[in-house]
Amino acid sequence: MEDVPSFDLTGRVALVTGAARGLGRSIAVALAHAGADIALGLRSLAGADDLVGEVKAQGRRCLPLAMDVLELDQVGTAVAKTASELGSLDILVNNAGGGRSDMALDVTMEDFDYTVALNLKSTFFASQAAARIMASQGYGRIVNMSSQAGFVALPTESVYCMTKAAIAHLTKCLAVEWGRYGITVNGVAPTFIHTPGTSAALSDPVFESDVTDRIAALHRVGEPVEVAGAVVFLASPAASLITGETILIDGGWTAR
């Protein structure tokens, strides 16, 4: 019988950064549903019980970890604890991110450094720490959170756009270096998604109307599960020949 693609992650261990809410939470639950045990990278452990319970209810192990990605010692410790306490580290999802908005003429050095550290620096060093473990295993899947903002220009978001574009290119660089170790490195680049982080902006009817108009094909804001599905795919055996790619999940925004 001809082989068919597998999306099964049974026996794999995944670490998701920024897992407390929004995209991170949806990704963690989706990976657990696909069979993976989950380490939750959390800026604060307070309030994590519901998510831990949701993962465990699917019959998976769940390890909540203090992991403020701006603190690189916490990043290294969380990666090491995932491998030591869950037995391996097979999948890393670099989801944590954000930034501060301002017109380019008004960006301060403090805000610049904060956004670069939160999005780009954390992604690089979390990937480096995970790849050292994955290389010793001869297997790994890294999925980075870029954004459609890395492919189009958004006013007041020059630094954020820059970091997300850099993540897409970093993804290519790491894929080329680490393929010899059995590690694939890919990214996803979502459009506006209904999350706690976008709720304030999308509550403005004028802004929401402009966003849905720019999502040229589907004309609607996305849902977290629509990003989580792509992450599960890239982490699964079905994507074993894909590396160095960033998948736009933008409803057609960049097609126009």
Side-chain angles (χ1 to χ4, degrees), residues 31-51:
L31 290 168
H33 182 74
D37 295 319
I38 308 297
L40 305 171
L42 304 167
R43 188 169 56 184
S44 171
L45 294 175
D49 291 349
D50 286 349
L51 177 54

Side-chain angles (χ1 to χ4, degrees), residues 184-219:
T184 66
V185 187
N186 291 292
V188 294
T191 186
F192 285 88
I193 305 294
H194 282 126
T195 68
T198 62
S199 60
L202 292 173
S203 67
D204 178 349
V206 175
F207 181 83
E208 194 271 344
S209 177
D210 180 62
V211 165
T212 55
D213 181 60
R214 289 175 184 274
I215 299 174
L218 298 181
H219 297 288

Side-chain angles (χ1 to χ4, degrees), residues 144-161:
N144 296 324
M145 190 62 65
S146 181
S147 168
Q148 75 172 21
F151 297 82
V152 298
L154 300 178
T156 77
E157 301 289 350
S158 58
V159 182
Y160 180 82
C161 290

